[in-house]
Amino acid sequence: MSTAVDAVRDAFRELAAGNFVLPPRQIFGDGTVLVMSAYHTPTGTAVVKKIGIALDQVPAIRATVIWTGSGEQLVADGGSITTLRTGAVVGVATDLLAHANASRLALIGTGAQAPDQVRAVLAVRRIADVTVTGRSADRAAALARQLGDEFPDVKFTAGTNIDEAIAVTDIICCATSSTTPLFSVDALPDTVHVNAIGAFRPTMRELPRDLLATASTVLVDQREAALEESGEIMDAVTSGVLSEGDLVELGAALSTPPTPQGRTVFKSVGVGAQDWAIAAALARS
């Protein structure tokens, strides 16, 4: 995960420098099929990812990634790359916005994306306590045991009460397919960093509107993508509580880091440069 975080961080610096061609994501069947691509101009390398999404199945995401460059081609499981790169970008954002002494993490969601969310935060902060919450107590407990075996020096607990989990935490990771906000802004600590990666359709929501209205920083992977695909961001902008200019792009923030205060948010819908970063790292290995 540390290697992935570094690769994705470098890719967003390249994106901010104008070194990627990123065609708009193609969306078919109301978001059940996605095609993403990215071309890295300096190296002449490219990646294409085809994703099939079925939220009622396990795994929910089935994908294939093809990376090409210098006469070589790499074909890899897109599901693994998607979870890894989505975790990695959360690591990059958390490193920018979470308090340096953050030690408590609350994870909301127990699906395929969830473990790499935890791995990414642990790669950039010295986390001592992690609370895993989900609709199923059994799944939350199973994930907590799995991660506890992987990180024996971290205390993992499991439950289904989101408000209790987030009441005394420093960092929150949301990785669900919810269509309604997972919590109210009143349930949050005064100082907390929130990552949200689950909602990728205009009809989906993980974050309350009031959080986006009052957060000191609202960070996105790419403004254009967030305004087209993030239900929370689209709702906040349409309702007038947030303007497009309030959205800070990750690549720009890496050059000019914001000074986080109070509550901060990172909303990711994913861009092709992330897939390129992981596939290029694989090709080099």
Side-chain angles (χ1 to χ4, degrees), residues 191-213:
T191 300
V192 67
H193 172 62
V194 183
N195 298 300
I197 61 95
F200 58 91
R201 295 173 181 165
T203 55
M204 300 171 76
R205 306 279 193 281
E206 289 186 302
L207 306 179
R209 183 189 295 173
D210 289 350
L211 172 59
L212 295 170

Side-chain angles (χ1 to χ4, degrees), residues 123-141:
V124 299
R125 288 294 183 271
R126 295 179 63 86
I127 300 297
D129 295 280
V130 178
T131 302
V132 179
T133 58
R135 289 175 296 181
S136 166
D138 290 342
R139 290 187 63 177

